Amino acid sequence: MFAKHTEALRLIATNLNREKIEWALGGSAMLTAYDLCPQANDLDILVTAQDAERAHEIVKLLGTHSEKASKEPYCTVYFTHYRFASTTVDMLGLFGIHHEEGTYWLDWRPEKNDRIVRLSGDIDVPLASLEDWYTLYSLIPGKMERAEGIETYWKQSTGPDPDRLRKVLERQLPGFLRTRIHQLIEEAGNVEEMSAL
């Protein structure tokens, strides 16, 4: 599933889990778990803002690292870049992205219904939500195709989680995305009504 990044992910997961750090895998690696991306380019690790510094102290011992300043349109508060052999890893806490109507902040936190995949050796890898990455991919320049892929996946499966999308609406969004998320919530509600009949 994670191909050449499996060993780096195993190392990160083992250490972060042992230290009870709240984290999740996002980006293209997360998409591979849903068969939405043929291969991961790198590993994007989301951490809570309160765990970001402690997570860095743990992960920096596993490979080389460099603190990175966010480049436009990004304004992520905690952003560190790591290298483990052939795998690059970005650790992100309080992910921010500027858009034409303001700034979208993803203050990621785990939720009880987050999906978890298990690597061999009983190593749990929590996945960030598709709803969060749908929003991010809709805002990141050149990544709308990935957001559209998530929408297609939702149409072929159980659909998005309306509660998670409602949380997204509490944040600053451009008008086009706010409208689309309202539509997705409405469509998800119609699917729930139809399945209850």
Side-chain angles (χ1 to χ4, degrees), residues 97-104 139 172-178:
I97 184 164
H98 296 297
H99 54 80
E100 62 273 12
E101 296 178 36
T103 304
Y104 177 81
L139 295 170
Q172 195 169 42
L173 295 169
F176 83 91
L177 186 53
R178 183 169 297 282

Side-chain angles (χ1 to χ4, degrees), residues 8 33-34 39 42 73 77 105-106 116 132 139 142 146 158 160 185 197:
Y34 290 93
Q39 68 180 20
D42 59 6
V77 175
W105 292 100
L106 174 61
I116 295 175
D132 283 338
L139 295 170
R146 289 199 173 164
T158 59
I185 291 169
L197 295 177

Side-chain angles (χ1 to χ4, degrees), residues 75-194:
C75 55
T76 302
V77 175
Y78 300 98
F79 175 38
T80 309
H81 185 77
Y82 304 88
R83 187 139 190 89
F84 301 81
S86 64
T87 298
T88 58
V89 177
D90 289 330
M91 187 179 302
L92 309 157
L94 203 52
F95 193 131
I97 184 164
H98 296 297
H99 54 80
E100 62 273 12
E101 296 178 36
T103 304
Y104 177 81
W105 292 100
L106 174 61
D107 186 9
W108 177 83
R109 296 186 190 318
E111 295 191 24
K112 62 182 170 200
N113 60 344
D114 285 342
R115 182 172 172 199
I116 295 175
V117 295
R118 185 161 280 173
L119 300 178
S120 62
D122 291 336
I123 300 168
D124 288 343
V125 175
L127 300 180
S129 76
L130 284 174
E131 292 78 8
D132 283 338
W133 281 88
Y134 171 81
T135 306
L136 293 171
Y137 283 137
S138 295
L139 295 170
I140 296 171
K143 298 294 185 179
M144 186 57 81
E145 185 177 308
R146 289 199 173 164
E148 291 166 353
I150 292 170
E151 276 198 42
T152 300
Y153 172 83
W154 283 334
K155 288 176 184 169
Q156 297 169 351
S157 67
T158 59
D161 181 331
D163 291 332
R164 286 185 190 244
L165 289 178
R166 285 185 194 95
K167 288 179 183 174
V168 168
L169 289 173
E170 295 171 2
R171 302 180 194 129
Q172 195 169 42
L173 295 169
F176 83 91
L177 186 53
R178 183 169 297 282
T179 298
R180 185 61 192 131
I181 289 174
H182 277 292
Q183 291 169 341
L184 288 167
I185 291 169
E186 186 176 317
E187 291 167 10
N190 291 339
V191 169
E192 287 176 8
E193 287 175 18
M194 293 301 289

